[in-house]
Amino acid sequence: MTVALSEFAPLLPEIFILTMACAVLIIDLYLTDKNRHISYLLALATMAGAGIVTYIVMPTTPEIVLAGTFISDQMSAVLKMFVYLITAGVLVYSRQYLVERDLFKGEFYVLVLFAVLGMMVMISGHNMLSIYLGLELLSLCLYALVALQRDSSTAVEAAMKYFVLGALASGMLLYGMSMIYGASGSLDLMEIAEHIKGVQEKDLVLLLGVVFIIVGLAFKLGAVPFHMWVPDVYHGAPTAITLFISTAPKIAGFAIIIRLMADGMGDLQHYWQDFLIVIAVLSLIIGNIIAIAQTNLKRMLAYSTIAHMGFLLLGIIAGTAEGYSAAMFYTIAYAIMGLGAFGMIILLSRAGFEADRLEDFKGLNDRSPWYAFIMLIIMFSMAGVPPALGFWAKLAVLESVVNVGLTWLAIIAVVMSIVGAFYYIRLIKLMYFDKAEDTALIEGTLDLKAILSANGIAILALGIFPGALLAICTNVML
Amino acid sequence: MENIYLAIVLAPLIGSIVAGLWGKKIGTAGAHTVTIIGVAISCGLSFYVFKHHVFDGGAVFNGAVYTWAVSDGFTFDIGFLVDQLTAMMMVVVTFVSLMVHIYTIGYMKGDPGYQRFFCYISLFTFSMLMLVMANNFMQLFFGWEAVGLVSYLLIGFWYKRETAIYANLKAFLVNRVGDFGFILGIAVVLMYFNSLDYEDVFSNAGNLSNITIQVIPGWDWNVITLICMLLFIGAMGKSAQVPLHVWLPDSMEGPTPISALIHAATMVTAGVFMVARMSPLYEWSETALSFVLIIGAITALFMGFLGLVQNDIKRVVAYSTLSQLGYMVVALGVSAYAAGLFHLMTHAFFKALLFLAAGSVIIAMHHQQDIRKMGGLRKYLPITYATSLIGSLALIGFPGFSGFFSKDAIIEAVGHSELFGSGFAYTAVLLGVFVTALYTFRMFFLVFHGKERMDEDTRSHLKESPLVVTVPLILLAIPSVFIGGLTIGPMLFGDYFGSSLVVFKEHDVLAQMGEYFTGALGFVLHGLVTPAFYLSMAGLATAWYIYMKKPSIATHFKEKYKSIYNVLDNAYGCDDFNDKWFAGGARRIGNVLFKVGDAKVIDGVMVNGTAQTVGWWAGVARYMQTGYLYHYAFAMILGLVGLVSWIFIV
């Protein structure tokens, strides 16, 4: 197989990240703890640089290169941009937190960069093998990140659970892919789609393959009943890592669902639609209801993530361009909101103290009206109260579901959102109407405060002016 | 031009945000500087826009600036429609607002809510500009509600006063009634025109003129009539027309500058502006026009009567505002939209002037507002006296003053109209002239002439107000005298408004009047021989005779015709009626619903019941999260088995 050099042009962002990740790995060896921040700055610069490179190579029409294993289109460019943005946010949020817990190490940055690379390969994968490769690269980095705090028993336990269950899910995904390969004779998504078009009657092997793939994907997203790892991992991992796990990978997860389900197996929609409906409804119900019983904010947000993933799946279930773009909007909105919510925990935490219990938010308004207000925006947005961003995300998804005649699904989603509103608003009540137990001053470095404020205002601003982001999500799905 | 329009709207908003959020940091001087700069920019640019559209013949601008949302195929744009009508409103709004901003420095000095006040009035300017510059119903509604909100906040500005809280709640509730009609009107527009854009709606109005709708089964309504009536109900709330007028007199609880800005010059005229803007719709429905005409005429006359028995200086001016709004609405009813807008403009200047002058008197009297305790203020407050005299003469329509031109034009226009109800309206507006002159000069004489009835302590402190108060008075006095004569030609009989107003030929009373219009001077000379002139002179003379010459007459009348006096003093019992039936009834129904529906059914069964059930489930489900790895793996396998068996079953 010969490959022309020009075929590598669309891969420039990936090559850039890979180079930078290796560079950080080597440079970090020569750094002392005193000037460790060079790794941090390099990682941030990598995100900015990747953004520029991605923008430069962004194609107007989809380009498929390297024997069909890699696709570069507008959707991949936009999703990658948001991955960089969210990851850069994670880096800024986590700096002080890592320093205080003696985790401010080069490994963190190298692992994050490789995870980003994995996400990019997932986003641009156009072959089952490349998609799987990207997914595994991401997963391995995440397992290691969760275990970064080696002396914490909860973190190690979480990493262990994550790893074992993740391996199980990967096995299922791979098994499903092999069945698809067996039925269609190809790993290329386009060829698979061609084959499926020709199949007339119910092909059991194909369907079994679909089921196994869905199980694998549902695990990665954290949808019910493959969600059990989510609360334990979110809770056990250091908050900075939780921040990362709960945001950027969801964007990549959305991308592979679109690639596999819509592009590859779009003609099997009436089969996978049913499976996804079951998973989405279970996620909405279980996620929202169990969240109510949580006293730990990180666990509560974990369950809320499960519920959000149910919402995201609704857009996919609709199976129309409108639904996919709504799901994309939802994913991006969720990533921005999740970033702010976990970021707030980081702000309130100090060396030796994790502000992850609900009680820690009591009376926040007395301690700092501004950050209480930011948290108020984030919670309202997650609950879907206008004019915050989350409202439009929910509206778009619900609209797409109603438009394909699945009104009952929308009703369940709305009812469950109301249940969900309870625990979001409970937090607001704690912040505004209860007396503070912890009256320590909110320390937080300037960069942390600035990004948190910007994050909160962005949620509000995007909620008041949702037009631009909606237009982007609509255009890339055309 | 688009950027200029944006700057006009955003400058006051930025000023408001800065004064509101960082008010404490920038201090009082910072707050008034930043908001005044914002409004001054807005005012300057508005004059430029006015010049561009009126003198340079600039093309009408109609376009979207930002797409706010797309829902179900409808695009909600934020857009501007700027033509001669809008340009005039922009100049009036920003100019009066600028004067009021400056005046406020003096009036609110030392008030603990100083920065908050500036934040609100700048926010008001922004909202009002959004309202007049809108090019679609959605944005109109936004501006409509936003000015209502600021009005609510400002009436209750002194929120520790019980009366202020009562007044702002009342204003809010009464406006709810109007706005309910308004939004229903917009809904009908959306339903039948499938668009909220002015241009689409106006150009298609003719196609719908014969379509009917059955709101109540068996009773056909013309769709256009229904839309116009519903929209006008909104205007009745905002522009305080009978029977939704009850909030305006109470709104005088707010600080005087906002009475001038919001409750005299701008916000209350929003209804008049809206109807004029919708003239392409109203022209299709004579029923709606008659409705408008009759409501306006009732307001013009009967609200004037109430001005006669008020003793609070601001309430007198408030009732006169109600009555003048009635005049404007009457003009709209007879399709003389231009005359209504013309009166709107002159009224904005002279009524703002009168309010601010009243405020100046109130400052001098140390917040004493009872005119029975004033008198002889002429020698202490010479500038206030002179400007008040100008304002009063303009209000009663003394020949040559701006109010004369606009009011006489309205009366003439009504005289020419053949619409149902125009006979009644003509009588009402003519009688209204006499009443206007009577209460205006009753107040004027009681305040500035005659015996000094205040206590010694107050008298010794009497002095003219500072420059920040008197300069706006003088600046407002100038247009109060001249603007009418200068602009009557182009505005009423020329083509000033161009295509912004639509009048059908058979309704066009102004065109009939224009046939013998020979210029402002001729209009004045003609005015000297009309009954309106003699009625206003008679009113003036009566006021002088009763309150200067023989005060015993007033007391005598009060005792002899006690029943009439009581009816007027109670404002026809509207408030009592509302309190007893609407407010009281709502409270009684609410009480029942609260006790049975809310406390028992919703709280007891549904809320607590549901919460308990959900909580129980949450507890159970939480139990399943054991923390054991093999349980988790087992759940995954179960899920897989479930999905696989689904394939074989289905």
Side-chain angles (χ1 to χ4, degrees), chain A residues 221-250:
Chain A
L221 283 183
V224 180
F226 313 100
H227 67 288
M228 299 290 228
W229 63 278
V230 179
D232 288 13
V233 171
Y234 279 25
H235 183 200
T239 309
I241 313 290
T242 311
L243 179 67
F244 185 56
I245 297 180
S246 67
T247 50
K250 306 295 182 200

Side-chain angles (χ1 to χ4, degrees), chain A residues 298-465:
Chain A
K298 274 160 86 180
R299 288 190 88 85
M300 188 193 100
L301 287 174
Y303 283 106
S304 115
T305 305
I306 295 170
H308 281 300
M309 291 307 121
F311 245 105
L312 187 161
L313 286 175
L314 291 188
I316 310 280
I317 288 166
T320 53
E322 185 200 5
Y324 298 145
S325 58
M328 181 170 164
F329 186 70
Y330 200 95
T331 313
I332 292 170
Y334 165 74
I336 297 174
M337 298 184 301
L339 198 61
F342 284 107
M344 188 62 76
I345 301 179
I346 289 187
L347 175 71
L348 297 185
S349 300
R350 304 183 285 278
F353 171 69
E354 291 284 323
D356 60 357
R357 292 171 313 146
L358 287 178
E359 287 90 76
D360 297 329
F361 280 77
K362 274 187 182 170
L364 183 60
N365 185 44
D366 294 333
R367 295 168 63 197
S368 166
W370 174 245
Y371 294 106
F373 173 67
I374 297 276
M375 193 61 176
L376 173 97
I377 295 175
I378 297 170
M379 287 296 115
F380 271 156
S381 181
M382 285 202 165
V385 177
L389 177 60
F391 164 72
W392 297 102
K394 285 201 163 58
L395 183 72
V397 169
L398 291 174
E399 230 179 344
S400 71
V401 179
V402 170
N403 281 350
V404 294
L406 291 169
T407 313
W408 63 273
L409 203 52
I411 293 173
I412 292 184
V414 169
V415 170
M416 281 301 135
S417 301
I418 296 170
V419 173
F422 170 76
Y423 56 85
Y424 296 122
I425 292 174
R426 179 174 59 189
L427 189 68
I428 294 171
K429 180 224 155 206
L430 289 177
M431 289 194 303
Y432 281 88
F433 298 106
D434 284 15
K435 273 241 166 324
E437 286 176 358
D438 173 16
T439 48
L441 233 75
I442 292 173
E443 288 160 0
T445 50
L446 194 66
D447 52 351
L448 177 56
K449 285 182 168 173
I451 192 166
L452 190 54
S453 306
N455 198 165
I457 290 168
I459 292 173
L460 190 62
L462 283 171
I464 297 171
F465 304 105

Side-chain angles (χ1 to χ4, degrees), chain B residues 16 19 155 192 235 276 282 554 634:
Chain B
S16 163
I155 295 171
Y192 278 89
Y282 278 86
F634 185 61

